């Protein structure tokens, strides 16, 4: 079994583009539910940011878009690493207040929330464990086991 995860040099995508069927609806979702801000927008595209400067996600409206079908090629989900467990707890409370349907898992190296945007694009919001985000030693190996989330234990 591997004992180290997310070892340096870490590679992360700089930008993700999602195809959507209704740009206005998707912008509303990603700004209201997820908390992004619109950095730039045209009639068919929107660039979203978390820090007000860097575009992390762009939404592209596709005419006559077909719903996602299970078992077909495509993005499984967009993963967003939150800075802390407290941030994860805060977004859980936000989702509860907005009555957002979500799933959750404890993967030993991280705790994650799973939800889908209006077009069915999957999203994973997670908070890593340990100061080095997931680095484990032989004394504390990661087994990636999933178990039922105890949401009330998240710090809010």
């Amino acid at each position: 079994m591997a004992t180290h995860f997310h070892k340096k040099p870490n590679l992360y995508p700089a930008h993700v583009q999602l195809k959507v069927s209704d740009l206005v609806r998707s912008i509303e979702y990603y700004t209201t539910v997820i908390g992004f801000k619109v950095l730039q927008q045209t009639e068919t595209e929107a660039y979203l940011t978390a820090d007000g400067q860097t575009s992390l996600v762009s939404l592209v409206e596709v005419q006559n878009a077909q719903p996602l079908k299970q078992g077909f090629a495509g993005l499984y989900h967009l993963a967003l690493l939150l800075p802390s467990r407290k941030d994860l707890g805060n977004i859980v409370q936000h989702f509860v207040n907005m009555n957002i349907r979500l799933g959750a898992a404890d993967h030993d190296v991280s705790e994650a929330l799973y939800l889908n945007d209006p077009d069915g694009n999957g999203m994973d919001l997670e908070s890593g464990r340990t100061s080095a985000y997931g680095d484990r030693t032989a004394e504390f190996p990661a087994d990636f086991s999933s178990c039922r989330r105890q949401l009330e234990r998240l710090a809010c």
Side-chain angles (χ1 to χ4, degrees):
M1 175 198 276
T3 58
H4 296 283
F5 302 92
H6 301 282
K7 290 173 65 172
K8 298 204 182 314
N10 297 334
L11 299 175
Y12 301 98
H15 183 90
V16 174
Q17 184 181 78
L18 299 174
K19 294 179 181 175
V20 299
S21 61
D22 183 329
L23 185 62
V24 172
R25 177 184 68 178
S26 293
I27 289 171
E28 176 69 20
Y29 177 85
Y30 280 93
T31 57
T32 304
V33 176
I34 303 304
F36 283 127
K37 292 180 176 45
V38 176
L39 187 61
Q40 184 179 350
Q41 183 178 346
T42 68
E43 281 187 35
T44 58
E45 289 184 83
Y47 292 84
L48 306 177
T49 182
D51 65 6
Q53 298 177 352
T54 308
S55 173
L56 296 175
V57 176
S58 60
L59 305 172
V60 178
E61 184 174 282
V62 175
Q63 294 296 320
N64 303 315
Q66 298 296 311
L68 294 173
K69 295 179 183 174
Q70 190 172 9
F72 283 76
L75 181 71
Y76 177 66
H77 67 246
L78 165 65
L80 300 171
L81 179 62
L82 301 176
S84 71
R85 191 167 193 257
K86 181 171 177 36
D87 293 309
L88 187 66
N90 289 339
I91 204 155
V92 165
Q93 188 61 56
H94 171 70
F95 291 158
V96 168
N97 292 344
M98 294 193 71
N99 199 31
I100 301 298
R101 185 174 181 199
L102 58 97
D106 185 329
H107 298 294
D108 190 37
V109 296
S110 68
E111 295 173 289
L113 303 174
Y114 299 97
L115 60 158
N116 293 312
D117 76 3
D119 287 289
N121 293 307
M123 194 171 316
D124 164 358
L125 290 94
E126 65 179 68
S127 173
R129 288 208 173 107
T130 76
S131 61
Y133 180 64
D135 283 352
R136 298 294 193 228
T137 64
E139 295 83 45
F140 190 45
D143 65 7
F144 287 97
S145 62
S146 291
C147 63
R148 184 173 173 84
R149 159 133 3 248
Q150 296 180 15
L151 294 175
E152 66 277 2
R153 292 182 60 192
L154 286 172
C156 290

